[in-house]
Every structure is written in C-alpha cells, then in structure tokens.
Amino acid sequence: MSWNRNDTENPCTGVENYVFNGNDYMHVAASFDGLVMRIFINGLFDNELILSDTIKIKSNDEPLTIGGEIGGNRSFAGSMDDIFIFNTALNDDEIYK
C-alpha cells in the first residue's frame, strides 16, 4: 500500500503487511500537510514520509486517481466505498473516529 505526490521517487509506503481475505472491511486513510505524508490502516498510524521541503498542492489538468495511476496502471482489484477528500490534513484522533 503506497501513495505518492505525482512522482515515484517519493512514495509513502505502508510498513505493515495487512492480509485480508476480500470479505472484511479495511479502513485506509492518507494525510498530507505539505511536509509529511502519512498512512493509517484501520484508524491506526502505519507510516510516514517527511519530505525535504514543503510542497504545495497545485492545480493541474491531470485527473485525480484513487486506486491506480493515471492511464490505468497498477489498478486496484477490489471495491471502494465511502471515499472522502478533505481540504485540510486530519490528525490521528480525527482519522481514528
């Protein structure tokens, strides 16, 4: 499990090996405050990547992709439900709720 900020040189990758059978619900959250990319699994902090400098999220013409890359590469094989995008980085307590 990983996510990046439009390049493959700086992915934030989950460190735990979460095995699931395809029948159980799994909550995955990612947070980015401009400097720190964080991954949470089932409400608990899993890993973070601290970038060398603050990055602003800029507008562009690329589509937002969740579960794969632009062009369909690395597509997620499963289903997703209740996807939320916030305009601020959530903290640990907000994600746990």
Side-chain angles (χ1 to χ4, degrees), residues 55-71:
I55 304 292
K56 297 248 185 215
I57 297 175
K58 300 176 184 175
S59 298
N60 61 48
D61 294 331
E62 299 293 338
L64 171 66
T65 55
I66 299 173
E69 294 177 339
I70 296 170

Side-chain angles (χ1 to χ4, degrees), residues 39-55:
I39 292 179
F40 297 81
I41 308 295
N42 294 327
L44 302 175
F45 171 77
D46 181 72
N47 196 20
E48 69 183 17
L49 174 68
I50 301 172
L51 302 176
S52 59
D53 55 3
T54 302
I55 304 292

Side-chain angles (χ1 to χ4, degrees), residues 1 25-29 40-44 82 95-97:
M1 171 162 335
Y25 173 83
M26 181 181 205
H27 179 262
V28 178
F40 297 81
I41 308 295
N42 294 327
L44 302 175
D82 297 332
I95 288 174
Y96 186 75
K97 292 178 185 180

